[in-house]
Amino acid sequence: MAHSARRDCPELPDFSLLKRLARDQLIYLLEQQHEVDKLYKVEYKPVISTSDQLCFLIRPRIQTVKWICGKSNVANADKAAGKFRRYKLIFTPQKFYACEAVLEEQGIFGDVTTDEWAFYLLPLDDDIISLELPEFFKDNFLAGDQRWVRTAGSALHLLHSLYGPFSKIYGIGRCSKMAYESWREQVEEGEQRTRQAEIGKVFLIDRDVDFVTPLCSQVVYEGLVDDIFRIKCGCVEFPPDVTSSDKSIKVMLNSQDKVFNEIRNEHFSNVFGFLSQKARNLQTAYDKRRGMDIKQMKTFVSEELKGLKQEHRLLSLHIGASESIMKKKTKQDFQELLKTEHALLEGFEMRESISFIEEHINRQVSMIESLRMLCLLSITENVLDASYGVDHLLTFANLRQLGLLVEQPPGETLTVMESKVGKLVNDKTAGKLTDAFSSLARKSHFRALSRKLNLVPKSDEEYDLRVPRDMAYIFSGAYVPLSCRLIEQVLERDGWTGLEEVTRLLNGHEFAVSGKNDAQRIIVVMFLGGCTFSEVSALRFLGRERALKNSNKHDYFLVSRL
């Protein structure tokens, strides 16, 4: 959520402090390497440099360490060529024993020095801070590698150290609980300081608590921009067809972009109307020049013209981006895909939905979209009618291991499956796998959770996307994201009391721990395993709605993602 003009909106902590701390530590580490000549991007190819020392700033990935130090690669290649250089590896956000073990295996542990750049959180906007660690999900939830848990705990500890004690911490999920315990250990081990509280409550949630939401197609503007152009570290690269030129342009997407800030959370159907009105307002502002005398023109040029030109440039880019999105996302295929997703969420028209998915696969429209729909079918109905595609067996195996794909048991027919629509599949037929992954796959309880938490609004009511009435607007009124509904319910109840059946269906690991202060209305939501921009938009909406319910006191959600 961008800075609000509301007087009751809580004052935000100074998150630029996170950047300054990270910058100062990096400068300190680099200053130890005298006469740093040039920075190179790690591209897994020979390093051409005349320097007698090389410093690598890398993630703690074994593949990268092997490239630097393995046989026929940088360090050993230098030795073979008679070059003797010093090497330093700076791991960020932390170094792991497994990476140092690779140095030992390659016989160059004594030739390489290592260090650690504890860069845990990057502020991407007023209400988004991120570790930008895409491997967290795969390592933790697929491979079962828990090495990043302490990283998550350290990120939480950093917030606690800089911005004072939290009033309460809620969480759900195995990883969240371990991250909380890691944080508590670090607090107890460290120096206890008394600081003014700048953050109120904290909510930790594992990504595997809600797999349905990231499987749904995004239809808010920021989500669509991410789907099509990919937002990385708060930055997007718009291609020539958007910029109306012969080159791509990188743009920072945050609340400083006034045009973007007003449309980022809007359902895409509302965006063109806003941009058209913005263009008319801009033209009116330009037209004020007519009839001005010299003094007025001088004031206009010095005070308004620069801002108008900047706004005009940004408006042109977002109009171009919207046109590109329109070409890709308003075709018949996309509308049918949304219709199918909504039917799966509601539990209706199962035969038609399966037919559409099969046709989508046969036409090879998009492998990613096909896999997403298969996973959505599997999670919402607990069964999958068939397996498709020998080219993606590893992908299927990984999805099954995560519990995203559950095969239909032998002998189960479509007619039998149809008869179960709208109610939970019974235990005898759900979640049975006939291979080695059977112990890892989890039965989905989406249909029961949907009823208990009212995730799917009544379809017979007309939904005005211009005036959203709940968080379901981010999915065209068809579905309230499970993750955000959980957060809403826990905050309303100040804990998990009354949600015992919900937590049982979600495999537990929930917790709620009281802290010391209860003054701040800033709520940090930490997603362990990533989150979607649709969920961020939903939480921004929830913050505004809670203001209306709580005597106009504005809750401010700060999203932290790993």
Side-chain angles (χ1 to χ4, degrees):
M1 189 187 326
H3 282 304
S4 173
R6 301 174 60 98
R7 292 181 181 176
D8 62 317
C9 186
E11 185 177 344
L12 286 172
D14 179 14
F15 290 117
S16 66
L17 182 58
L18 294 170
K19 287 183 181 180
R20 294 200 299 272
L21 282 173
R23 179 198 61 198
D24 292 347
Q25 188 190 9
L26 180 59
I27 290 172
Y28 171 76
L29 290 171
L30 292 178
E31 281 179 343
Q32 296 176 33
Q33 304 296 114
H34 302 294
E35 299 179 5
V36 173
D37 178 52
K38 195 170 183 180
L39 296 175
Y40 298 91
K41 182 179 179 182
V42 174
E43 294 181 311
Y44 300 105
K45 61 184 181 182
V47 175
I48 301 172
S49 174
T50 58
S51 176
D52 64 352
Q53 59 179 351
L54 295 177
C55 179
F56 298 88
L57 178 61
I58 59 173
R59 292 288 195 185
R61 296 169 182 149
I62 291 175
Q63 177 192 6
T64 308
V65 177
K66 283 184 175 179
W67 169 74
I68 294 170
C69 306
K71 292 178 181 178
S72 303
N73 289 320
V74 181
N76 279 312
D78 282 348
K79 277 188 177 181
K83 293 180 184 177
F84 294 95
R85 295 196 266 209
R86 287 172 293 159
Y87 308 93
K88 181 163 187 174
L89 306 185
I90 301 177
F91 294 101
T92 185
Q94 65 189 83
K95 61 181 177 181
F96 294 124
Y97 170 76
C99 293
E100 294 186 321
V102 172
L103 301 179
E104 234 174 315
E105 288 171 8
Q106 299 299 327
I108 59 169
F109 189 75
D111 301 328
V112 179
T113 58
T114 62
D115 219 319
E116 184 176 278
W117 181 31
F119 185 15
Y120 290 114
L121 293 168
L122 172 66
L124 299 180
D125 207 345
D126 294 337
D127 63 348
I128 301 178
I129 52 178
S130 176
L131 195 57
E132 292 296 296
L133 197 64
E135 56 262 68
F136 185 99
F137 178 84
K138 181 180 177 182
D139 287 352
N140 188 80
F141 296 107
L142 180 62
D145 185 344
Q146 297 169 3
R147 60 180 178 162
W148 296 114
V149 167
R150 184 168 177 82
T151 308
S154 298
L156 199 59
H157 185 241
L158 180 61
L159 289 176
H160 180 264
S161 302
L162 297 178
Y163 305 110
F166 309 137
S167 63
K168 200 153 192 176
I169 299 184
Y170 313 101
I172 184 165
R174 187 163 173 264
C175 185
S176 290
K177 197 159 191 176
M178 289 191 293
Y180 165 75
E181 289 167 354
S182 172
W183 167 70
R184 284 300 315 164
E185 288 174 5
Q186 293 177 58
V187 169
E188 290 166 6
E189 291 169 3
E191 183 183 346
Q192 301 296 320
R193 297 179 183 177
T194 303
R195 289 183 177 273
Q196 181 181 354
E198 297 183 69
I199 289 175
K201 298 173 181 177
V202 175
F203 196 110
L204 308 179
I205 182 168
D206 284 16
R207 181 68 278 173
D208 67 350
V209 167
D210 173 18
F211 275 145
V212 171
T213 299
L215 290 173
C216 296
S217 297
Q218 302 194 83
V219 287
V220 293
Y221 180 71
E222 189 169 11
L224 284 167
V225 170
D226 183 48
D227 276 351
I228 294 174
F229 305 108
R230 292 296 168 209
I231 300 173
K232 296 180 180 179
C233 297
C235 184
V236 67
E237 185 169 351
F238 286 132
D241 68 309
V242 170
T243 63
S244 300
S245 65
D246 58 353
K247 61 180 181 179
S248 299
I249 295 177
K250 283 190 176 181
V251 179
M252 291 297 296
L253 292 180
N254 55 40
S255 56
Q256 301 303 308
D257 181 338
K258 293 180 181 178
V259 177
F260 173 71
N261 195 43
E262 293 191 60
I263 60 175
R264 66 192 310 179
N265 303 311
E266 290 289 328
H267 189 277
F268 191 65
S269 61
N270 301 328
V271 170
F272 266 110
F274 170 83
L275 294 176
S276 298
Q277 183 60 49
K278 195 76 174 176
R280 288 193 291 270
N281 294 344
L282 201 58
Q283 187 60 52
T284 301
Y286 273 121
D287 290 344
K288 287 196 310 182
R289 295 174 297 176
R290 295 174 184 173
M292 286 184 177
D293 58 30
I294 294 177
K295 185 178 179 181
Q296 290 171 327
M297 181 62 74
K298 185 177 179 181
T299 302
F300 175 80
V301 170
S302 63
E303 296 180 3
E304 296 183 52
L305 187 58
K306 184 178 179 181
L308 290 174
K309 285 184 175 180
Q310 171 71 354
E311 197 167 347
H312 182 269
R313 185 183 74 85
L314 294 171
L315 182 61
S316 297
L317 282 174
H318 290 297
I319 289 174
S322 297
E323 288 174 340
S324 182
I325 291 169
M326 282 279 286
K327 290 175 185 175
K328 295 179 175 69
K329 295 293 189 179
T330 56
K331 294 178 180 177
Q332 183 69 22
D333 276 339
F334 185 65
Q335 295 304 315
E336 288 297 317
L337 183 145
L338 290 179
K339 182 181 176 183
T340 300
E341 285 182 4
H342 296 171
L344 291 173
L345 292 166
E346 293 173 8
F348 297 128
E349 300 179 353
M350 190 55 54
R351 185 182 292 275
E352 291 85 348
S353 297
I354 291 175
S355 295
F356 176 80
I357 295 171
E358 289 178 338
E359 182 186 352
H360 199 273
I361 293 167
N362 292 336
R363 290 169 54 208
Q364 298 185 351
V365 177
S366 165
M367 182 195 75
I368 296 296
E369 287 181 358
S370 295
L371 287 172
R372 276 183 34 236
M373 284 190 287
L374 283 171
C375 291
L376 195 58
L377 169 64
S378 175
I379 290 177
T380 55
E381 291 304 319
N382 247 325
V383 283
L384 187 63
D385 186 46
S387 293
Y388 304 90
V390 295
D391 297 333
H392 308 289
L393 290 179
L394 180 58
T395 302
F396 277 111
N398 288 340
L399 291 172
R400 289 165 69 189
Q401 187 167 341
L402 285 165
L404 284 167
L405 283 180
V406 181
E407 288 183 322
Q408 182 178 337
E412 185 96 0
T413 65
L414 181 58
T415 306
V416 174
M417 190 162 68
E418 279 185 305
S419 70
K420 298 173 182 175
V421 172
K423 59 184 179 180
L424 194 65
V425 182
N426 63 59
D427 292 336
K428 292 181 180 179
T429 59
K432 291 182 181 177
L433 293 178
T434 55
D435 60 12
F437 296 113
S438 58
S439 62
L440 295 167
R442 299 180 306 170
K443 179 179 175 182
S444 168
H445 297 282
F446 174 76
R447 199 63 66 208
L449 288 165
S450 179
R451 288 195 301 270
K452 289 184 178 298
L453 294 172
N454 193 25
L455 301 181
V456 179
K458 294 179 181 178
S459 57
D460 56 345
E461 296 178 9
E462 188 175 343
Y463 200 102
D464 187 353
L465 293 170
R466 293 170 299 179
V467 188
R469 61 173 179 261
D470 56 24
M471 291 183 286
Y473 90 93
I474 67 166
F475 293 120
S476 306
Y479 165 67
V480 176
L482 170 58
S483 56
C484 301
R485 181 69 95 199
L486 274 177
I487 293 165
E488 176 193 45
Q489 290 293 306
V490 170
L491 290 175
E492 282 186 4
R493 300 162 187 265
D494 194 25
W496 296 96
T497 303
L499 295 172
E500 290 82 3
E501 182 63 14
V502 169
T503 58
R504 185 187 69 78
L505 293 171
L506 290 170
N507 297 312
H509 299 292
E510 76 282 0
F511 58 93
V513 183
S514 295
K516 296 179 181 180
N517 105 88
D518 197 23
Q520 290 299 322
R521 300 196 304 276
I522 293 172
I523 301 164
V524 174
V525 178
M526 181 178 281
F527 286 88
L528 288 97
C531 69
T532 66
F533 284 103
S534 294
E535 287 168 304
V536 176
S537 292
L539 290 176
R540 288 170 179 149
F541 179 89
L542 180 58
R544 294 191 296 271
E545 286 298 290
R546 282 174 60 83
L548 298 175
K549 292 180 181 178
N550 301 324
S551 304
N552 226 30
K553 291 182 179 179
H554 197 297
D555 282 327
Y556 197 104
F557 285 91
L558 174 72
V559 176
S560 175
R561 64 187 193 195
L562 284 83

